[in-house]
Amino acid sequence: MNISIVGTGYVGLVTGTCFAELGHNVMCVDNDTRKIEMLEKLKMPIYEEGLEDLVRKNVEAGRIQFTTSINEGTDFAEVIFIAVGTPPGYRGQANLSYVEQVGRYVAEHMTSYRLLVEKSTVPVNTGEQLKRTVTKYLREDVPFDVASNPEFLREGTALKDAFHPDRIVIGVESERASTLLREIYNPIVEKTGCELLEMNIASAELTKHASNSFLATKISFINAVSRVCELAGADVEQVAHGMGLDHRIGHRFLNAGVGYGGSCFPKDVDAFVHLSDQIGYDFKLLREVQKINHGQREHLMQKIQHELWVIQNKKIAILGLAFKPGTDDIREAPSLYFVPQLLEAGADLRLWDPIAEGKFRELYPDLDYRSDLMDCVKDADMALILTDWPEVSNIDLGKLGKSMKTPVIIDGRNMYDPDTVRSHGITYHSIGRP
Ligand SMILES: NC(=O)c1ccc[n+]([C@@H]2O[C@H](COP(=O)([O-])OP(=O)(O)OC[C@H]3O[C@@H](n4cnc5c(N)ncnc54)[C@H](O)[C@@H]3O)[C@@H](O)[C@H]2O)c1
């Protein structure tokens, strides 16, 4: 089937590549000329393991092409996925201007039936607004459908998630839309046995916001427990392990740390709180989740302050800039909270990240970036761990302790066993552990 995907970012590019690999013909559209030029040269604008090879394979097979023209995308396919950004807007409300723009452009250009599929994460009832927009801007009386197909992939394992999803959710209002989406996903359903859930559009939209908000709640819950652990002399790692063995709870997303970040959780929780408020429900639980998350960063900052006493002129090695390992994405990453604060306090920073350095440099071009982890910590007064990269967990702690000026680690990801670190003469502060 021919499929157009508008928005060629983390979601659009991975989804498009996945559809092409399944045998569909895909046109990826983006209004960022630089991105499309890169892709045409088979250079990836984002980092995702395995993506480059798969894009190359499918471009060479003639199954995927790139364009900046939304008109071309509209002509190319009956089904148009919208995978543009929905960043936080005014007071946490999702900014839906890019989604609206795509709806308008497609409506103005289409001359026969089109199915517009929301792939972007959008608040409930966006489908209704999209339908209104398309109806308003249609030049002639052409039939169309709107559907929702929320995306659950995770950066860092995006391709695996795309080919082996836990579930596929489609929100549809017509037989035609259902048939088209089922045809697209049929190869995955047949191969993996994954369940395809069909529901109405509002339920599909809500499934995504509710899922992300629940995961964020789990993280904030264990972070709140970590604070109690610190006060009570308990170890949050042991508590979380004990909790997680209960199958109803599970271990995942029970890692205490510096709090959640990234392009999804913070903005999706914000948008869910805002949307609920708008339609008449004060989602106090999620407001608390947000507060706890922010509090974790402040709490870690206090640990830094407490340990160093004076931050000015202290050499601090920042280990990890990405919001999580396996990606170059720095949106809402903890590094974006700590780096400006530490700079303001007069710290002498050196920064290390194996993948996200380039993205961070775009914001902070003049900082001291080190490509070698050991070089980054050499002569430092403190190492601050913000991303749980494997390189950091595998570091030779003995060597690290000897090469620092004062061997101090502030660990925002609870990466090491405290006794082991201390056996190397390193002062070690982590989250929720005695
Ligand atoms: N990144 C994730 O892990 C993830 C996971 C699930 C869902 N989502 C959701 O998917 C959506 C996209 O996220 P992303 O991380 O891929 O964002 P992104 O910023 O990486 O990509 C969005 C792309 O859309 C393009 N764009 C914006 N307006 C356009 C227009 N009018 N025409 C053509 N292109 C346009 C931008 O240039 C950009 O390349 C968001 O709603 C996000 O919440 C993201």
Side-chain angles (χ1 to χ4, degrees):
M1 189 191 290
N2 283 6
I3 300 170
S4 287
I5 311 227
V6 186
T8 311
Y10 289 89
V11 167
L13 185 56
V14 169
T15 306
T17 309
C18 169
F19 287 161
E21 181 69 12
L22 295 176
H24 301 300
N25 295 311
V26 178
M27 182 174 280
C28 286
V29 183
D30 205 290
N31 59 4
D32 183 338
T33 318
R34 190 187 63 101
K35 261 188 195 174
I36 294 300
E37 280 172 4
M38 283 179 78
L39 284 162
E40 279 169 342
K41 290 181 201 143
L42 293 173
K43 292 213 164 68
M44 297 302 106
I46 54 160
Y47 176 81
E48 191 59 49
E49 199 182 349
L51 187 62
E52 189 169 341
D53 289 346
L54 215 55
V55 169
R56 172 172 291 111
K57 178 181 163 199
N58 282 285
V59 167
E60 283 167 5
R63 285 194 297 265
I64 188 164
Q65 50 187 305
F66 304 100
T67 179
T68 52
S69 161
I70 187 131
N71 288 350
E72 245 184 87
T74 306
D75 289 337
F76 180 75
E78 201 175 21
V79 184
I80 301 169
F81 282 82
I82 304 176
V84 297
T86 49
Y90 178 63
R91 287 189 176 168
Q93 192 173 359
N95 173 355
L96 297 172
S97 60
Y98 306 109
V99 173
E100 191 256 4
Q101 204 177 46
V102 176
R104 250 188 306 134
Y105 290 170
V106 169
E108 283 173 353
H109 192 73
M110 66 194 243
T111 51
S112 59
Y113 175 85
R114 290 293 176 272
L115 169 62
L116 276 96
V117 187
E118 303 164 353
K119 186 65 138 166
S120 303
T121 302
V122 292
V124 64
N125 290 334
T126 300
E128 282 303 314
Q129 299 290 2
L130 195 56
K131 263 191 278 176
R132 251 169 26 98
T133 302
V134 176
T135 308
K136 221 164 36 176
Y137 286 89
L138 272 179
R139 293 242 164 95
E140 29 186 311
D141 190 16
V142 177
F144 73 92
D145 274 311
V146 164
S148 162
N149 170 222
E151 181 51 61
F152 298 98
L153 63 76
R154 297 157 300 170
E155 289 171 23
T157 51
L159 283 173
K160 186 176 150 282
D161 295 342
F163 288 109
H164 301 274
D166 290 337
R167 75 297 208 191
I168 296 163
V169 172
I170 61 171
V172 287
E173 283 178 349
S174 79
E175 202 53 46
R176 191 169 185 176
S178 166
T179 307
L180 284 167
L181 285 171
R182 283 178 184 275
E183 195 180 326
I184 290 173
Y185 282 112
N186 198 36
I188 293 185
V189 172
E190 283 203 336
K191 203 166 156 205
T192 65
C194 137
E195 221 178 309
L196 186 149
L197 307 172
E198 184 171 321
M199 50 186 85
N200 67 26
I201 296 178
S203 306
E205 291 166 337
L206 255 176
T207 303
K208 174 66 188 175
H209 264 159
S211 300
N212 273 5
S213 298
F214 181 79
L215 293 172
T217 303
K218 216 173 162 191
I219 295 172
S220 278
F221 181 85
I222 198 65
N223 279 334
V225 171
S226 80
R227 300 291 287 276
V228 179
C229 285
E230 286 185 12
L231 296 168
D235 182 334
V236 72
E237 294 297 314
Q238 291 176 6
V239 175
H241 184 55
M243 287 171 65
L245 286 174
D246 183 329
H247 292 300
R248 294 168 303 175
I249 298 175
H251 281 117
R252 297 173 71 189
F253 288 81
L254 269 194
N255 303 314
V258 65
Y260 60 78
S263 67
C264 291
F265 286 3
K267 91 169 166 62
D268 292 351
V269 174
D270 276 5
F272 202 24
V273 168
H274 191 90
L275 180 274
S276 307
D277 212 28
Q278 246 181 356
I279 58 178
Y281 179 69
D282 181 4
F283 216 140
K284 291 199 183 91
L285 172 67
L286 289 182
R287 288 187 200 280
E288 202 53 42
V289 165
Q290 294 173 308
K291 228 191 272 175
I292 293 168
N293 197 55
H294 192 71
Q296 282 306 98
R297 294 175 186 197
E298 286 173 352
H299 186 54
L300 202 70
M301 194 66 202
Q302 280 164 8
K303 287 185 192 237
I304 296 170
Q305 179 89 56
H306 190 253
E307 174 60 39
L308 288 177
W309 181 36
V310 171
I311 292 176
Q312 197 172 12
N313 295 330
K314 294 282 159 54
K315 288 191 174 67
I316 302 179
I318 307 282
L319 307 185
L321 303 170
F323 86 92
K324 68 171 179 182
T327 181
D328 61 346
D329 200 344
I330 57 165
R331 289 177 284 185
E332 300 286 332
S335 55
L336 290 176
Y337 171 87
F338 287 97
V339 166
Q341 292 225 27
L342 293 170
L343 286 174
E344 203 183 318
D348 175 6
L349 300 184
R350 56 274 311 275
L351 301 91
W352 172 89
D353 191 290
I355 307 271
E357 182 190 316
K359 288 259 157 78
F360 211 81
R361 262 185 199 277
E362 288 172 17
L363 295 180
Y364 292 96
D366 300 324
L367 297 183
D368 181 0
Y369 295 90
R370 307 285 174 104
S371 54
D372 183 80
L373 185 49
M374 271 301 170
D375 179 42
C376 187
V377 295
K378 190 165 180 287
D379 294 329
D381 297 283
M382 172 181 281
L384 172 62
I385 299 174
L386 296 180
T387 317
D388 39 349
W389 284 106
E391 290 90 333
V392 178
S393 59
N394 296 331
I395 203 166
D396 180 336
L397 287 167
K399 219 165 128 191
L400 176 131
K402 285 194 192 99
S403 74
M404 292 180 75
K405 189 194 285 173
T406 52
V408 176
I409 296 178
I410 303 276
D411 184 355
R413 299 292 179 182
N414 282 2
M415 301 199 67
Y416 312 116
D417 166 51
D419 290 338
T420 310
V421 187
R422 289 178 190 133
S423 72
H424 291 286
I426 299 170
T427 302
Y428 184 58
H429 301 282
S430 55
I431 310 269
R433 298 191 288 182

